[in-house]
Coordinates of all heavy atoms in Angstrom, one line a residue:
T2 N 9.1 8.7 -7.7 CA 9.9 8.3 -8.7 C 9.7 6.8 -9.1 O 9.5 6.0 -8.2 CB 11.4 8.5 -8.2 OG1 11.7 9.8 -7.9 CG2 12.4 8.0 -9.2
R19 N 9.3 12.8 -10.7 CA 8.3 13.9 -10.4 C 6.9 13.4 -10.9 O 6.2 14.2 -11.4 CB 8.7 15.3 -11.0 CG 10.0 15.6 -10.6 CD 10.4 17.1 -11.1 NE 9.5 18.1 -10.6 CZ 9.5 18.6 -9.4 NH1 10.4 18.4 -8.6 NH2 8.6 19.5 -9.1
S23 N 0.0 9.4 -5.0 CA -1.4 9.1 -4.6 C -1.9 10.2 -3.7 O -1.1 10.8 -2.9 CB -1.4 7.7 -3.9 OG -1.0 6.7 -4.7
W39 N -12.5 7.8 -3.1 CA -12.2 7.8 -4.5 C -11.1 8.7 -4.9 O -11.3 9.6 -5.8 CB -13.5 7.9 -5.3 CG -14.4 9.0 -5.0 CD1 -14.2 10.4 -5.4 CD2 -15.6 8.9 -4.5 NE1 -15.3 11.1 -5.0 CE2 -16.2 10.3 -4.5 CE3 -16.4 7.9 -4.0 CZ2 -17.4 10.6 -4.0 CZ3 -17.7 8.2 -3.5 CH2 -18.2 9.5 -3.5
V43 N -1.5 6.3 -8.3 CA -0.7 5.8 -9.3 C -0.8 4.3 -9.4 O -0.7 3.6 -8.4 CB 0.8 6.2 -9.1 CG1 1.7 5.6 -10.2 CG2 0.9 7.7 -9.2
A46 N 2.3 -1.9 -13.2 CA 2.4 -3.2 -13.4 C 3.6 -3.4 -14.3 O 3.7 -2.9 -15.3 CB 1.2 -3.8 -14.0
A47 N 4.6 -4.3 -13.8 CA 5.8 -4.6 -14.6 C 5.5 -5.7 -15.6 O 4.7 -6.7 -15.4 CB 6.8 -5.2 -13.6
W67 N 12.6 -0.1 -19.9 CA 13.4 -0.2 -18.8 C 14.6 0.9 -18.8 O 15.2 1.1 -17.8 CB 14.1 -1.6 -18.8 CG 13.1 -2.7 -18.5 CD1 12.7 -3.6 -19.5 CD2 12.3 -2.9 -17.4 NE1 11.7 -4.4 -18.9 CE2 11.5 -4.0 -17.6 CE3 12.2 -2.3 -16.1 CZ2 10.6 -4.6 -16.7 CZ3 11.3 -2.8 -15.1 CH2 10.6 -3.8 -15.5
T68 N 14.7 1.5 -20.0 CA 15.7 2.7 -20.1 C 14.9 4.0 -20.1 O 15.6 5.0 -20.2 CB 16.6 2.5 -21.3 OG1 15.7 2.4 -22.5 CG2 17.4 1.2 -21.2
G69 N 13.6 4.0 -19.8 CA 13.0 5.3 -19.7 C 12.1 5.8 -20.9 O 11.4 6.8 -20.8
R74 N 1.1 3.9 -25.7 CA 0.1 4.3 -24.8 C -1.2 3.6 -25.2 O -1.4 3.4 -26.3 CB -0.1 5.8 -24.8 CG 1.1 6.6 -24.4 CD 0.7 8.2 -24.5 NE 2.0 9.0 -24.2 CZ 2.3 9.3 -22.9 NH1 1.5 9.0 -21.9 NH2 3.4 10.0 -22.7
W77 N -8.8 4.6 -23.9 CA -10.1 4.1 -24.1 C -11.1 5.1 -23.6 O -10.9 5.9 -22.9 CB -10.2 2.6 -23.4 CG -10.1 2.7 -21.9 CD1 -11.3 2.7 -21.1 CD2 -9.0 2.7 -21.1 NE1 -10.7 2.6 -19.8 CE2 -9.4 2.7 -19.8 CE3 -7.6 2.8 -21.4 CZ2 -8.5 2.7 -18.7 CZ3 -6.8 2.7 -20.3 CH2 -7.2 2.7 -19.0
P80 N -17.0 6.3 -18.8 CA -18.0 7.2 -18.3 C -17.4 8.5 -17.9 O -16.2 8.6 -17.5 CB -18.7 6.4 -17.2 CG -17.7 5.5 -16.7 CD -17.0 5.1 -17.9
D81 N -18.3 9.5 -17.7 CA -17.8 10.9 -17.2 C -17.3 10.7 -15.8 O -17.8 10.0 -15.0 CB -19.0 11.8 -17.3 CG -18.6 13.2 -16.9 OD1 -17.5 13.5 -16.4 OD2 -19.6 14.1 -17.1
Y100 N -22.1 0.7 9.1 CA -22.1 1.0 10.6 C -23.3 0.3 11.2 O -23.2 -0.3 12.4 CB -22.2 2.5 10.8 CG -20.8 3.2 10.9 CD1 -20.2 3.5 9.7 CD2 -20.2 3.5 12.0 CE1 -19.0 4.1 9.7 CE2 -19.0 4.1 12.2 CZ -18.4 4.4 10.9 OH -17.2 5.1 11.0
W116 N -19.4 10.8 9.1 CA -19.8 11.5 7.8 C -19.7 13.1 7.8 O -19.6 13.7 6.8 CB -21.3 11.1 7.5 CG -21.8 11.7 6.2 CD1 -22.8 12.6 6.1 CD2 -21.4 11.5 5.0 NE1 -23.0 12.9 4.8 CE2 -22.1 12.3 4.1 CE3 -20.4 10.6 4.4 CZ2 -22.0 12.3 2.7 CZ3 -20.2 10.7 3.0 CH2 -21.0 11.4 2.2
E121 N -17.2 16.7 3.9 CA -16.4 18.0 3.6 C -15.2 17.7 2.7 O -14.5 18.7 2.3 CB -15.9 18.7 4.9 CG -17.0 19.1 5.8 CD -18.0 20.1 5.2 OE1 -17.5 21.0 4.5 OE2 -19.2 20.0 5.4
N122 N -15.0 16.4 2.4 CA -13.7 16.1 1.7 C -14.0 15.3 0.4 O -13.2 14.5 0.0 CB -12.8 15.3 2.6 CG -12.2 16.2 3.7 OD1 -11.2 16.8 3.5 ND2 -12.7 16.2 4.8
F127 N -14.0 11.2 -10.1 CA -13.5 9.9 -9.7 C -12.2 9.6 -10.5 O -11.9 10.2 -11.5 CB -14.6 8.9 -10.3 CG -15.7 8.8 -9.5 CD1 -16.9 9.2 -10.1 CD2 -15.8 8.1 -8.3 CE1 -18.2 9.2 -9.3 CE2 -17.0 8.0 -7.6 CZ -18.2 8.6 -8.1
Y146 N -12.4 1.7 -12.0 CA -12.7 2.2 -10.6 C -14.2 1.8 -10.2 O -15.2 2.1 -11.1 CB -12.5 3.6 -10.4 CG -12.6 4.1 -9.0 CD1 -11.5 3.9 -8.1 CD2 -13.8 4.6 -8.5 CE1 -11.6 4.2 -6.8 CE2 -13.9 4.9 -7.1 CZ -12.7 4.8 -6.4 OH -12.8 5.1 -5.0
W155 N -12.8 -5.7 -14.7 CA -11.5 -5.7 -15.3 C -11.5 -5.7 -16.8 O -12.3 -6.5 -17.3 CB -10.6 -6.8 -14.7 CG -10.1 -6.6 -13.3 CD1 -10.9 -7.1 -12.2 CD2 -8.9 -6.2 -12.8 NE1 -10.2 -6.8 -11.0 CE2 -9.0 -6.3 -11.4 CE3 -7.7 -5.8 -13.5 CZ2 -7.8 -6.0 -10.6 CZ3 -6.7 -5.5 -12.7 CH2 -6.7 -5.6 -11.3
L168 N -13.7 -8.8 -17.4 CA -13.9 -9.8 -16.3 C -14.9 -9.1 -15.3 O -14.4 -8.0 -14.8 CB -12.6 -10.2 -15.6 CG -12.8 -11.1 -14.4 CD1 -13.3 -12.4 -14.6 CD2 -11.4 -11.1 -13.7
P172 N -19.5 -9.1 -5.7 CA -19.0 -8.2 -4.7 C -18.1 -8.9 -3.6 O -18.1 -10.2 -3.4 CB -20.4 -7.9 -3.9 CG -21.4 -8.1 -4.9 CD -20.9 -9.2 -5.8
I179 N -4.3 -13.7 -12.8 CA -5.2 -14.2 -14.0 C -4.3 -14.7 -15.1 O -3.2 -14.3 -15.4 CB -6.0 -13.0 -14.4 CG1 -7.2 -13.5 -15.3 CG2 -5.3 -11.9 -15.1 CD1 -8.3 -12.4 -15.5
R181 N -5.1 -16.9 -19.2 CA -5.9 -16.9 -20.4 C -7.3 -17.4 -20.1 O -8.3 -17.0 -20.7 CB -5.2 -17.8 -21.5 CG -6.0 -17.8 -22.8 CD -5.3 -18.7 -23.9 NE -5.3 -20.0 -23.4 CZ -6.4 -20.9 -23.6 NH1 -7.4 -20.5 -24.1 NH2 -6.2 -22.1 -23.2
D182 N -7.4 -18.5 -19.3 CA -8.7 -19.1 -19.0 C -9.0 -19.4 -17.6 O -9.8 -20.1 -17.2 CB -8.8 -20.4 -19.9 CG -7.7 -21.4 -19.5 OD1 -6.8 -21.1 -18.6 OD2 -7.7 -22.5 -20.1
R196 N -11.3 -16.6 1.7 CA -11.1 -17.9 1.0 C -10.3 -17.5 -0.3 O -10.6 -16.4 -1.0 CB -12.4 -18.6 0.7 CG -12.9 -19.1 2.0 CD -14.3 -19.9 1.7 NE -14.8 -20.6 2.8 CZ -15.6 -20.0 3.8 NH1 -15.9 -18.7 3.7 NH2 -16.1 -20.6 4.8
V197 N -9.5 -18.3 -0.7 CA -8.7 -18.2 -2.1 C -9.2 -19.3 -2.9 O -9.2 -20.4 -2.5 CB -7.3 -18.1 -1.9 CG1 -6.6 -18.1 -3.2 CG2 -6.9 -16.9 -1.0
E204 N -17.3 -17.4 -21.1 CA -17.9 -16.4 -21.8 C -19.3 -16.2 -21.3 O -20.1 -17.0 -21.1 CB -17.9 -16.6 -23.4 CG -16.5 -16.8 -24.0 CD -15.6 -15.5 -23.9 OE1 -16.3 -14.5 -23.9 OE2 -14.4 -15.6 -23.9

Side-chain angles (χ1 to χ4, degrees):
T2 298
R19 302 183 64 82
S23 301
W39 50 74
V43 175
W67 297 112
T68 55
R74 297 179 185 274
W77 65 99
D81 189 345
Y100 274 82
W116 182 244
E121 298 297 323
N122 292 278
F127 284 109
Y146 189 83
W155 284 82
L168 173 68
I179 193 167
R181 184 181 62 83
D182 57 3
R196 291 181 173 83
V197 176
E204 298 295 333

